[in-house]
Amino acid sequence: MNNITIIRISSFCLMASLWCSCSGNGGNQPQEQTELTIVTEHKLGGNTINVDRVAGKGKIKSSNVAPIYSLVDGILVEMNQIEGRSVKKGQTIAVIDNSEAMAVLAELEAQLHKKEYEVRTTYVGLGYKPEQADRIPADVRKSVETMTGYALLKLQIENQKRIIESHTIKAPFDGTILDIKVNNMGYAHKGEPLFYLMDTENKYVLFEVLETLLPLFKVGMSLEFTTLSYGDKVFEAELQTIAPNVESNGMVYMSASIKGKHPELLPGMTTFVNY
């Protein structure tokens, strides 16, 4: 039973009680005029909710809960985050052991160092002195680097550096860590999620209203809502979707995007939506 129904029943009972009390005085006795005040504000969780204006009750939801995948196989050597902790975009969350990848990079760089000597020797064979290296035409330089394999090694080194970077998992957006699948020193499999990240910046309100109120709502209209946590503080939203069906309990689900940035609003908070 919702708050509005409770208030209506309470009001009816109060009116009935007053009527009975007045009737008991007898028809010849003067009756006192009693002023009936209907209370439309309700104290809930220490906050005042104006139930007379509430059209629907709902919850704040995140617009995006994304799985964060491992791009490589390996042991998770650094996972200092815990479920429910907030992280910022670009913040390092986890590191997968990259010792093998670093060894491959070191070997490639050693080979490149040897190739540099071969390239210089080739320039000398073409008639260019060491002090004339900056005067070598671009087409000659490209031809020599390709012929000696120097250019290919450089590409391999750049690719290996990207592989090493993929061992470090960073947050793609501001969010909260959920459902960690691999803990510290666990084995991460390529293509499998390590954890989920809930977007805490982009949020919406999912709420339900009685089907009798459906004609009052149109996609794109402005709405207001309050929360249990912040009582009388009013937030603005815009109606985004209206479910195409009515639930068995006579309610219709709707969603509204929250206007502005409100870090104090957290997914899961209870909302009271007004039109």
Side-chain angles (χ1 to χ4, degrees), residues 155-191:
L155 289 175
Q156 290 175 330
I157 288 174
E158 292 303 315
N159 182 61
Q160 190 63 22
K161 289 179 178 179
R162 285 191 289 270
I163 292 175
I164 292 172
E165 289 177 358
S166 68
H167 283 67
T168 300
I169 311 299
K170 296 184 178 181
F173 50 79
D174 293 352
T176 300
I177 295 176
L178 301 176
D179 194 13
I180 294 177
K181 299 295 185 182
V182 183
N183 291 309
N184 204 35
M185 300 310 294
Y187 194 85
H189 295 276
K190 181 179 179 180

PDB file of all heavy atoms in Angstrom, residues 155-191:
ATOM      1  N   LEU A 155      58.853  -1.350 -36.463  1.00  0.00           N
ATOM      2  CA  LEU A 155      57.423  -1.621 -36.377  1.00  0.00           C
ATOM      3  C   LEU A 155      57.127  -2.679 -35.319  1.00  0.00           C
ATOM      4  O   LEU A 155      56.154  -2.571 -34.565  1.00  0.00           O
ATOM      5  CB  LEU A 155      56.895  -2.074 -37.743  1.00  0.00           C
ATOM      6  CG  LEU A 155      56.816  -1.003 -38.840  1.00  0.00           C
ATOM      7  CD1 LEU A 155      56.395  -1.628 -40.165  1.00  0.00           C
ATOM      8  CD2 LEU A 155      55.843   0.102 -38.440  1.00  0.00           C
ATOM      9  N   GLN A 156      57.988  -3.706 -35.260  1.00  0.00           N
ATOM     10  CA  GLN A 156      57.803  -4.762 -34.274  1.00  0.00           C
ATOM     11  C   GLN A 156      57.953  -4.230 -32.845  1.00  0.00           C
ATOM     12  O   GLN A 156      57.225  -4.636 -31.936  1.00  0.00           O
ATOM     13  CB  GLN A 156      58.808  -5.892 -34.518  1.00  0.00           C
ATOM     14  CG  GLN A 156      58.521  -6.687 -35.787  1.00  0.00           C
ATOM     15  CD  GLN A 156      59.594  -7.725 -36.058  1.00  0.00           C
ATOM     16  OE1 GLN A 156      60.760  -7.550 -35.700  1.00  0.00           O
ATOM     17  NE2 GLN A 156      59.209  -8.812 -36.726  1.00  0.00           N
ATOM     18  N   ILE A 157      58.877  -3.305 -32.668  1.00  0.00           N
ATOM     19  CA  ILE A 157      59.080  -2.716 -31.346  1.00  0.00           C
ATOM     20  C   ILE A 157      57.876  -1.873 -30.932  1.00  0.00           C
ATOM     21  O   ILE A 157      57.418  -1.946 -29.769  1.00  0.00           O
ATOM     22  CB  ILE A 157      60.372  -1.873 -31.331  1.00  0.00           C
ATOM     23  CG1 ILE A 157      61.593  -2.799 -31.369  1.00  0.00           C
ATOM     24  CG2 ILE A 157      60.426  -0.959 -30.117  1.00  0.00           C
ATOM     25  CD1 ILE A 157      62.913  -2.089 -31.513  1.00  0.00           C
ATOM     26  N   GLU A 158      57.344  -1.080 -31.850  1.00  0.00           N
ATOM     27  CA  GLU A 158      56.165  -0.268 -31.538  1.00  0.00           C
ATOM     28  C   GLU A 158      54.966  -1.144 -31.193  1.00  0.00           C
ATOM     29  O   GLU A 158      54.205  -0.850 -30.271  1.00  0.00           O
ATOM     30  CB  GLU A 158      55.828   0.649 -32.719  1.00  0.00           C
ATOM     31  CG  GLU A 158      56.851   1.752 -32.973  1.00  0.00           C
ATOM     32  CD  GLU A 158      57.063   2.620 -31.746  1.00  0.00           C
ATOM     33  OE1 GLU A 158      56.054   3.008 -31.106  1.00  0.00           O
ATOM     34  OE2 GLU A 158      58.224   2.906 -31.416  1.00  0.00           O
ATOM     35  N   ASN A 159      54.816  -2.247 -31.923  1.00  0.00           N
ATOM     36  CA  ASN A 159      53.724  -3.169 -31.653  1.00  0.00           C
ATOM     37  C   ASN A 159      53.894  -3.833 -30.284  1.00  0.00           C
ATOM     38  O   ASN A 159      52.918  -4.008 -29.532  1.00  0.00           O
ATOM     39  CB  ASN A 159      53.659  -4.234 -32.744  1.00  0.00           C
ATOM     40  CG  ASN A 159      52.508  -5.204 -32.547  1.00  0.00           C
ATOM     41  OD1 ASN A 159      51.345  -4.809 -32.545  1.00  0.00           O
ATOM     42  ND2 ASN A 159      52.836  -6.480 -32.366  1.00  0.00           N
ATOM     43  N   GLN A 160      55.143  -4.179 -29.948  1.00  0.00           N
ATOM     44  CA  GLN A 160      55.395  -4.817 -28.655  1.00  0.00           C
ATOM     45  C   GLN A 160      55.118  -3.854 -27.504  1.00  0.00           C
ATOM     46  O   GLN A 160      54.631  -4.278 -26.444  1.00  0.00           O
ATOM     47  CB  GLN A 160      56.843  -5.316 -28.596  1.00  0.00           C
ATOM     48  CG  GLN A 160      57.170  -6.209 -27.423  1.00  0.00           C
ATOM     49  CD  GLN A 160      56.367  -7.509 -27.427  1.00  0.00           C
ATOM     50  OE1 GLN A 160      55.873  -7.950 -28.465  1.00  0.00           O
ATOM     51  NE2 GLN A 160      56.232  -8.107 -26.267  1.00  0.00           N
ATOM     52  N   LYS A 161      55.403  -2.595 -27.703  1.00  0.00           N
ATOM     53  CA  LYS A 161      55.094  -1.597 -26.679  1.00  0.00           C
ATOM     54  C   LYS A 161      53.593  -1.497 -26.442  1.00  0.00           C
ATOM     55  O   LYS A 161      53.143  -1.335 -25.299  1.00  0.00           O
ATOM     56  CB  LYS A 161      55.669  -0.236 -27.074  1.00  0.00           C
ATOM     57  CG  LYS A 161      57.187  -0.156 -26.981  1.00  0.00           C
ATOM     58  CD  LYS A 161      57.685   1.216 -27.403  1.00  0.00           C
ATOM     59  CE  LYS A 161      59.204   1.315 -27.270  1.00  0.00           C
ATOM     60  NZ  LYS A 161      59.719   2.645 -27.697  1.00  0.00           N
ATOM     61  N   ARG A 162      52.796  -1.598 -27.522  1.00  0.00           N
ATOM     62  CA  ARG A 162      51.344  -1.570 -27.369  1.00  0.00           C
ATOM     63  C   ARG A 162      50.852  -2.808 -26.612  1.00  0.00           C
ATOM     64  O   ARG A 162      49.907  -2.730 -25.821  1.00  0.00           O
ATOM     65  CB  ARG A 162      50.671  -1.470 -28.736  1.00  0.00           C
ATOM     66  CG  ARG A 162      50.759  -0.078 -29.367  1.00  0.00           C
ATOM     67  CD  ARG A 162      49.858   0.043 -30.563  1.00  0.00           C
ATOM     68  NE  ARG A 162      50.341  -0.737 -31.688  1.00  0.00           N
ATOM     69  CZ  ARG A 162      51.169  -0.270 -32.622  1.00  0.00           C
ATOM     70  NH1 ARG A 162      51.604   0.976 -32.541  1.00  0.00           N
ATOM     71  NH2 ARG A 162      51.548  -1.039 -33.621  1.00  0.00           N
ATOM     72  N   ILE A 163      51.506  -3.942 -26.879  1.00  0.00           N
ATOM     73  CA  ILE A 163      51.153  -5.167 -26.157  1.00  0.00           C
ATOM     74  C   ILE A 163      51.419  -5.001 -24.666  1.00  0.00           C
ATOM     75  O   ILE A 163      50.611  -5.392 -23.817  1.00  0.00           O
ATOM     76  CB  ILE A 163      51.933  -6.376 -26.718  1.00  0.00           C
ATOM     77  CG1 ILE A 163      51.452  -6.699 -28.134  1.00  0.00           C
ATOM     78  CG2 ILE A 163      51.782  -7.591 -25.809  1.00  0.00           C
ATOM     79  CD1 ILE A 163      52.241  -7.797 -28.815  1.00  0.00           C
ATOM     80  N   ILE A 164      52.562  -4.398 -24.339  1.00  0.00           N
ATOM     81  CA  ILE A 164      52.900  -4.171 -22.931  1.00  0.00           C
ATOM     82  C   ILE A 164      51.896  -3.224 -22.283  1.00  0.00           C
ATOM     83  O   ILE A 164      51.472  -3.440 -21.136  1.00  0.00           O
ATOM     84  CB  ILE A 164      54.330  -3.611 -22.811  1.00  0.00           C
ATOM     85  CG1 ILE A 164      55.335  -4.699 -23.227  1.00  0.00           C
ATOM     86  CG2 ILE A 164      54.619  -3.115 -21.402  1.00  0.00           C
ATOM     87  CD1 ILE A 164      56.756  -4.214 -23.322  1.00  0.00           C
ATOM     88  N   GLU A 165      51.472  -2.199 -23.013  1.00  0.00           N
ATOM     89  CA  GLU A 165      50.477  -1.268 -22.486  1.00  0.00           C
ATOM     90  C   GLU A 165      49.157  -1.976 -22.185  1.00  0.00           C
ATOM     91  O   GLU A 165      48.447  -1.625 -21.236  1.00  0.00           O
ATOM     92  CB  GLU A 165      50.234  -0.128 -23.478  1.00  0.00           C
ATOM     93  CG  GLU A 165      51.404   0.849 -23.593  1.00  0.00           C
ATOM     94  CD  GLU A 165      51.153   1.924 -24.637  1.00  0.00           C
ATOM     95  OE1 GLU A 165      50.080   1.859 -25.289  1.00  0.00           O
ATOM     96  OE2 GLU A 165      52.005   2.804 -24.807  1.00  0.00           O
ATOM     97  N   SER A 166      48.835  -2.996 -22.998  1.00  0.00           N
ATOM     98  CA  SER A 166      47.571  -3.714 -22.805  1.00  0.00           C
ATOM     99  C   SER A 166      47.567  -4.548 -21.530  1.00  0.00           C
ATOM    100  O   SER A 166      46.511  -5.025 -21.100  1.00  0.00           O
ATOM    101  CB  SER A 166      47.281  -4.616 -24.009  1.00  0.00           C
ATOM    102  OG  SER A 166      48.208  -5.683 -24.084  1.00  0.00           O
ATOM    103  N   HIS A 167      48.727  -4.728 -20.910  1.00  0.00           N
ATOM    104  CA  HIS A 167      48.794  -5.440 -19.634  1.00  0.00           C
ATOM    105  C   HIS A 167      48.315  -4.568 -18.472  1.00  0.00           C
ATOM    106  O   HIS A 167      48.072  -5.070 -17.374  1.00  0.00           O
ATOM    107  CB  HIS A 167      50.236  -5.896 -19.352  1.00  0.00           C
ATOM    108  CG  HIS A 167      50.645  -7.099 -20.148  1.00  0.00           C
ATOM    109  ND1 HIS A 167      50.802  -7.070 -21.512  1.00  0.00           N
ATOM    110  CD2 HIS A 167      50.934  -8.377 -19.770  1.00  0.00           C
ATOM    111  CE1 HIS A 167      51.188  -8.259 -21.949  1.00  0.00           C
ATOM    112  NE2 HIS A 167      51.253  -9.074 -20.914  1.00  0.00           N
ATOM    113  N   THR A 168      48.204  -3.278 -18.720  1.00  0.00           N
ATOM    114  CA  THR A 168      47.726  -2.349 -17.692  1.00  0.00           C
ATOM    115  C   THR A 168      46.270  -1.995 -17.983  1.00  0.00           C
ATOM    116  O   THR A 168      45.954  -1.479 -19.057  1.00  0.00           O
ATOM    117  CB  THR A 168      48.576  -1.069 -17.666  1.00  0.00           C
ATOM    118  OG1 THR A 168      49.935  -1.416 -17.376  1.00  0.00           O
ATOM    119  CG2 THR A 168      48.072  -0.104 -16.608  1.00  0.00           C
ATOM    120  N   ILE A 169      45.388  -2.289 -17.044  1.00  0.00           N
ATOM    121  CA  ILE A 169      43.963  -2.043 -17.214  1.00  0.00           C
ATOM    122  C   ILE A 169      43.605  -0.705 -16.578  1.00  0.00           C
ATOM    123  O   ILE A 169      43.813  -0.502 -15.384  1.00  0.00           O
ATOM    124  CB  ILE A 169      43.117  -3.159 -16.565  1.00  0.00           C
ATOM    125  CG1 ILE A 169      43.636  -4.542 -16.991  1.00  0.00           C
ATOM    126  CG2 ILE A 169      41.653  -2.981 -16.902  1.00  0.00           C
ATOM    127  CD1 ILE A 169      43.579  -4.800 -18.463  1.00  0.00           C
ATOM    128  N   LYS A 170      43.077   0.215 -17.400  1.00  0.00           N
ATOM    129  CA  LYS A 170      42.697   1.532 -16.916  1.00  0.00           C
ATOM    130  C   LYS A 170      41.191   1.738 -17.065  1.00  0.00           C
ATOM    131  O   LYS A 170      40.556   1.158 -17.950  1.00  0.00           O
ATOM    132  CB  LYS A 170      43.462   2.620 -17.668  1.00  0.00           C
ATOM    133  CG  LYS A 170      44.966   2.568 -17.448  1.00  0.00           C
ATOM    134  CD  LYS A 170      45.671   3.722 -18.138  1.00  0.00           C
ATOM    135  CE  LYS A 170      47.169   3.693 -17.865  1.00  0.00           C
ATOM    136  NZ  LYS A 170      47.863   4.831 -18.502  1.00  0.00           N
ATOM    137  N   ALA A 171      40.650   2.580 -16.197  1.00  0.00           N
ATOM    138  CA  ALA A 171      39.208   2.851 -16.232  1.00  0.00           C
ATOM    139  C   ALA A 171      38.864   3.661 -17.484  1.00  0.00           C
ATOM    140  O   ALA A 171      39.436   4.729 -17.705  1.00  0.00           O
ATOM    141  CB  ALA A 171      38.780   3.611 -14.987  1.00  0.00           C
ATOM    142  N   PRO A 172      37.922   3.179 -18.307  1.00  0.00           N
ATOM    143  CA  PRO A 172      37.540   3.925 -19.519  1.00  0.00           C
ATOM    144  C   PRO A 172      36.646   5.122 -19.229  1.00  0.00           C
ATOM    145  O   PRO A 172      36.475   5.991 -20.075  1.00  0.00           O
ATOM    146  CB  PRO A 172      36.793   2.870 -20.347  1.00  0.00           C
ATOM    147  CG  PRO A 172      36.244   1.920 -19.330  1.00  0.00           C
ATOM    148  CD  PRO A 172      37.249   1.878 -18.218  1.00  0.00           C
ATOM    149  N   PHE A 173      36.078   5.173 -18.023  1.00  0.00           N
ATOM    150  CA  PHE A 173      35.234   6.302 -17.616  1.00  0.00           C
ATOM    151  C   PHE A 173      35.140   6.314 -16.094  1.00  0.00           C
ATOM    152  O   PHE A 173      35.541   5.357 -15.425  1.00  0.00           O
ATOM    153  CB  PHE A 173      33.834   6.217 -18.247  1.00  0.00           C
ATOM    154  CG  PHE A 173      33.161   4.870 -18.069  1.00  0.00           C
ATOM    155  CD1 PHE A 173      32.549   4.520 -16.873  1.00  0.00           C
ATOM    156  CD2 PHE A 173      33.136   3.954 -19.110  1.00  0.00           C
ATOM    157  CE1 PHE A 173      31.935   3.294 -16.707  1.00  0.00           C
ATOM    158  CE2 PHE A 173      32.525   2.718 -18.959  1.00  0.00           C
ATOM    159  CZ  PHE A 173      31.920   2.385 -17.760  1.00  0.00           C
ATOM    160  N   ASP A 174      34.625   7.415 -15.552  1.00  0.00           N
ATOM    161  CA  ASP A 174      34.400   7.495 -14.106  1.00  0.00           C
ATOM    162  C   ASP A 174      33.347   6.470 -13.720  1.00  0.00           C
ATOM    163  O   ASP A 174      32.310   6.358 -14.382  1.00  0.00           O
ATOM    164  CB  ASP A 174      33.911   8.886 -13.712  1.00  0.00           C
ATOM    165  CG  ASP A 174      34.980   9.964 -13.906  1.00  0.00           C
ATOM    166  OD1 ASP A 174      36.125   9.599 -14.208  1.00  0.00           O
ATOM    167  OD2 ASP A 174      34.650  11.154 -13.763  1.00  0.00           O
ATOM    168  N   GLY A 175      33.610   5.725 -12.669  1.00  0.00           N
ATOM    169  CA  GLY A 175      32.615   4.725 -12.300  1.00  0.00           C
ATOM    170  C   GLY A 175      32.920   4.035 -10.986  1.00  0.00           C
ATOM    171  O   GLY A 175      33.851   4.402 -10.264  1.00  0.00           O
ATOM    172  N   THR A 176      32.117   3.016 -10.720  1.00  0.00           N
ATOM    173  CA  THR A 176      32.250   2.215  -9.512  1.00  0.00           C
ATOM    174  C   THR A 176      32.483   0.762  -9.899  1.00  0.00           C
ATOM    175  O   THR A 176      31.789   0.236 -10.774  1.00  0.00           O
ATOM    176  CB  THR A 176      30.978   2.310  -8.642  1.00  0.00           C
ATOM    177  OG1 THR A 176      30.770   3.684  -8.277  1.00  0.00           O
ATOM    178  CG2 THR A 176      31.115   1.471  -7.383  1.00  0.00           C
ATOM    179  N   ILE A 177      33.439   0.127  -9.255  1.00  0.00           N
ATOM    180  CA  ILE A 177      33.788  -1.261  -9.570  1.00  0.00           C
ATOM    181  C   ILE A 177      32.746  -2.219  -8.995  1.00  0.00           C
ATOM    182  O   ILE A 177      32.358  -2.109  -7.835  1.00  0.00           O
ATOM    183  CB  ILE A 177      35.178  -1.607  -9.015  1.00  0.00           C
ATOM    184  CG1 ILE A 177      36.242  -0.762  -9.743  1.00  0.00           C
ATOM    185  CG2 ILE A 177      35.492  -3.084  -9.178  1.00  0.00           C
ATOM    186  CD1 ILE A 177      37.632  -0.956  -9.214  1.00  0.00           C
ATOM    187  N   LEU A 178      32.320  -3.152  -9.854  1.00  0.00           N
ATOM    188  CA  LEU A 178      31.339  -4.151  -9.442  1.00  0.00           C
ATOM    189  C   LEU A 178      31.803  -5.550  -9.835  1.00  0.00           C
ATOM    190  O   LEU A 178      32.544  -5.714 -10.808  1.00  0.00           O
ATOM    191  CB  LEU A 178      29.978  -3.887 -10.104  1.00  0.00           C
ATOM    192  CG  LEU A 178      29.283  -2.553  -9.849  1.00  0.00           C
ATOM    193  CD1 LEU A 178      28.013  -2.489 -10.678  1.00  0.00           C
ATOM    194  CD2 LEU A 178      28.962  -2.377  -8.383  1.00  0.00           C
ATOM    195  N   ASP A 179      31.376  -6.546  -9.114  1.00  0.00           N
ATOM    196  CA  ASP A 179      31.483  -7.958  -9.487  1.00  0.00           C
ATOM    197  C   ASP A 179      32.872  -8.334 -10.019  1.00  0.00           C
ATOM    198  O   ASP A 179      33.039  -8.707 -11.177  1.00  0.00           O
ATOM    199  CB  ASP A 179      30.416  -8.273 -10.542  1.00  0.00           C
ATOM    200  CG  ASP A 179      30.227  -9.771 -10.727  1.00  0.00           C
ATOM    201  OD1 ASP A 179      30.717 -10.543  -9.885  1.00  0.00           O
ATOM    202  OD2 ASP A 179      29.608 -10.161 -11.733  1.00  0.00           O
ATOM    203  N   ILE A 180      33.874  -8.242  -9.172  1.00  0.00           N
ATOM    204  CA  ILE A 180      35.236  -8.616  -9.558  1.00  0.00           C
ATOM    205  C   ILE A 180      35.302 -10.117  -9.825  1.00  0.00           C
ATOM    206  O   ILE A 180      34.920 -10.930  -8.982  1.00  0.00           O
ATOM    207  CB  ILE A 180      36.243  -8.222  -8.458  1.00  0.00           C
ATOM    208  CG1 ILE A 180      36.298  -6.688  -8.331  1.00  0.00           C
ATOM    209  CG2 ILE A 180      37.629  -8.770  -8.763  1.00  0.00           C
ATOM    210  CD1 ILE A 180      37.199  -6.202  -7.219  1.00  0.00           C
ATOM    211  N   LYS A 181      35.790 -10.486 -10.996  1.00  0.00           N
ATOM    212  CA  LYS A 181      35.862 -11.893 -11.404  1.00  0.00           C
ATOM    213  C   LYS A 181      37.223 -12.520 -11.106  1.00  0.00           C
ATOM    214  O   LYS A 181      37.314 -13.727 -10.869  1.00  0.00           O
ATOM    215  CB  LYS A 181      35.574 -12.015 -12.906  1.00  0.00           C
ATOM    216  CG  LYS A 181      34.202 -11.530 -13.339  1.00  0.00           C
ATOM    217  CD  LYS A 181      33.102 -12.386 -12.753  1.00  0.00           C
ATOM    218  CE  LYS A 181      31.744 -11.975 -13.276  1.00  0.00           C
ATOM    219  NZ  LYS A 181      30.651 -12.785 -12.671  1.00  0.00           N
ATOM    220  N   VAL A 182      38.285 -11.713 -11.185  1.00  0.00           N
ATOM    221  CA  VAL A 182      39.647 -12.221 -10.961  1.00  0.00           C
ATOM    222  C   VAL A 182      40.299 -11.378  -9.881  1.00  0.00           C
ATOM    223  O   VAL A 182      40.411 -10.160 -10.022  1.00  0.00           O
ATOM    224  CB  VAL A 182      40.490 -12.175 -12.250  1.00  0.00           C
ATOM    225  CG1 VAL A 182      41.868 -12.781 -12.002  1.00  0.00           C
ATOM    226  CG2 VAL A 182      39.785 -12.904 -13.386  1.00  0.00           C
ATOM    227  N   ASN A 183      40.736 -12.019  -8.828  1.00  0.00           N
ATOM    228  CA  ASN A 183      41.375 -11.308  -7.728  1.00  0.00           C
ATOM    229  C   ASN A 183      42.890 -11.266  -7.909  1.00  0.00           C
ATOM    230  O   ASN A 183      43.445 -11.862  -8.840  1.00  0.00           O
ATOM    231  CB  ASN A 183      41.023 -11.978  -6.397  1.00  0.00           C
ATOM    232  CG  ASN A 183      39.556 -11.797  -6.042  1.00  0.00           C
ATOM    233  OD1 ASN A 183      39.046 -10.681  -6.061  1.00  0.00           O
ATOM    234  ND2 ASN A 183      38.874 -12.889  -5.741  1.00  0.00           N
ATOM    235  N   ASN A 184      43.561 -10.556  -7.009  1.00  0.00           N
ATOM    236  CA  ASN A 184      45.010 -10.416  -7.068  1.00  0.00           C
ATOM    237  C   ASN A 184      45.687 -11.785  -7.100  1.00  0.00           C
ATOM    238  O   ASN A 184      45.346 -12.688  -6.336  1.00  0.00           O
ATOM    239  CB  ASN A 184      45.491  -9.615  -5.860  1.00  0.00           C
ATOM    240  CG  ASN A 184      46.811  -8.942  -6.108  1.00  0.00           C
ATOM    241  OD1 ASN A 184      47.091  -8.502  -7.216  1.00  0.00           O
ATOM    242  ND2 ASN A 184      47.636  -8.856  -5.095  1.00  0.00           N
ATOM    243  N   MET A 185      46.636 -11.935  -8.025  1.00  0.00           N
ATOM    244  CA  MET A 185      47.405 -13.164  -8.265  1.00  0.00           C
ATOM    245  C   MET A 185      46.569 -14.257  -8.914  1.00  0.00           C
ATOM    246  O   MET A 185      47.026 -15.396  -9.050  1.00  0.00           O
ATOM    247  CB  MET A 185      48.043 -13.682  -6.974  1.00  0.00           C
ATOM    248  CG  MET A 185      48.998 -12.697  -6.323  1.00  0.00           C
ATOM    249  SD  MET A 185      50.246 -12.023  -7.494  1.00  0.00           S
ATOM    250  CE  MET A 185      51.207 -13.500  -7.877  1.00  0.00           C
ATOM    251  N   GLY A 186      45.361 -13.931  -9.350  1.00  0.00           N
ATOM    252  CA  GLY A 186      44.564 -14.876 -10.119  1.00  0.00           C
ATOM    253  C   GLY A 186      44.980 -14.831 -11.578  1.00  0.00           C
ATOM    254  O   GLY A 186      45.720 -13.941 -12.011  1.00  0.00           O
ATOM    255  N   TYR A 187      44.500 -15.795 -12.363  1.00  0.00           N
ATOM    256  CA  TYR A 187      44.898 -15.859 -13.778  1.00  0.00           C
ATOM    257  C   TYR A 187      43.820 -15.220 -14.644  1.00  0.00           C
ATOM    258  O   TYR A 187      42.643 -15.571 -14.565  1.00  0.00           O
ATOM    259  CB  TYR A 187      45.125 -17.299 -14.215  1.00  0.00           C
ATOM    260  CG  TYR A 187      45.844 -17.400 -15.542  1.00  0.00           C
ATOM    261  CD1 TYR A 187      47.236 -17.345 -15.586  1.00  0.00           C
ATOM    262  CD2 TYR A 187      45.142 -17.519 -16.736  1.00  0.00           C
ATOM    263  CE1 TYR A 187      47.918 -17.423 -16.803  1.00  0.00           C
ATOM    264  CE2 TYR A 187      45.812 -17.589 -17.950  1.00  0.00           C
ATOM    265  CZ  TYR A 187      47.198 -17.541 -17.975  1.00  0.00           C
ATOM    266  OH  TYR A 187      47.864 -17.605 -19.181  1.00  0.00           O
ATOM    267  N   ALA A 188      44.248 -14.259 -15.455  1.00  0.00           N
ATOM    268  CA  ALA A 188      43.341 -13.556 -16.357  1.00  0.00           C
ATOM    269  C   ALA A 188      43.403 -14.196 -17.738  1.00  0.00           C
ATOM    270  O   ALA A 188      44.487 -14.451 -18.267  1.00  0.00           O
ATOM    271  CB  ALA A 188      43.726 -12.083 -16.446  1.00  0.00           C
ATOM    272  N   HIS A 189      42.231 -14.447 -18.313  1.00  0.00           N
ATOM    273  CA  HIS A 189      42.150 -15.027 -19.650  1.00  0.00           C
ATOM    274  C   HIS A 189      41.750 -13.951 -20.650  1.00  0.00           C
ATOM    275  O   HIS A 189      40.818 -13.168 -20.408  1.00  0.00           O
ATOM    276  CB  HIS A 189      41.138 -16.172 -19.681  1.00  0.00           C
ATOM    277  CG  HIS A 189      41.540 -17.350 -18.842  1.00  0.00           C
ATOM    278  ND1 HIS A 189      42.385 -18.331 -19.307  1.00  0.00           N
ATOM    279  CD2 HIS A 189      41.227 -17.691 -17.572  1.00  0.00           C
ATOM    280  CE1 HIS A 189      42.563 -19.246 -18.364  1.00  0.00           C
ATOM    281  NE2 HIS A 189      41.881 -18.876 -17.297  1.00  0.00           N
ATOM    282  N   LYS A 190      42.442 -13.931 -21.768  1.00  0.00           N
ATOM    283  CA  LYS A 190      42.160 -12.954 -22.817  1.00  0.00           C
ATOM    284  C   LYS A 190      40.703 -13.070 -23.261  1.00  0.00           C
ATOM    285  O   LYS A 190      40.206 -14.158 -23.537  1.00  0.00           O
ATOM    286  CB  LYS A 190      43.095 -13.183 -24.012  1.00  0.00           C
ATOM    287  CG  LYS A 190      42.901 -12.205 -25.152  1.00  0.00           C
ATOM    288  CD  LYS A 190      43.878 -12.499 -26.280  1.00  0.00           C
ATOM    289  CE  LYS A 190      43.688 -11.543 -27.437  1.00  0.00           C
ATOM    290  NZ  LYS A 190      44.650 -11.830 -28.545  1.00  0.00           N
ATOM    291  N   GLY A 191      40.027 -11.919 -23.315  1.00  0.00           N
ATOM    292  CA  GLY A 191      38.646 -11.888 -23.776  1.00  0.00           C
ATOM    293  C   GLY A 191      37.611 -12.149 -22.705  1.00  0.00           C
ATOM    294  O   GLY A 191      36.413 -12.078 -22.983  1.00  0.00           O
TER     295      GLY A 191
END
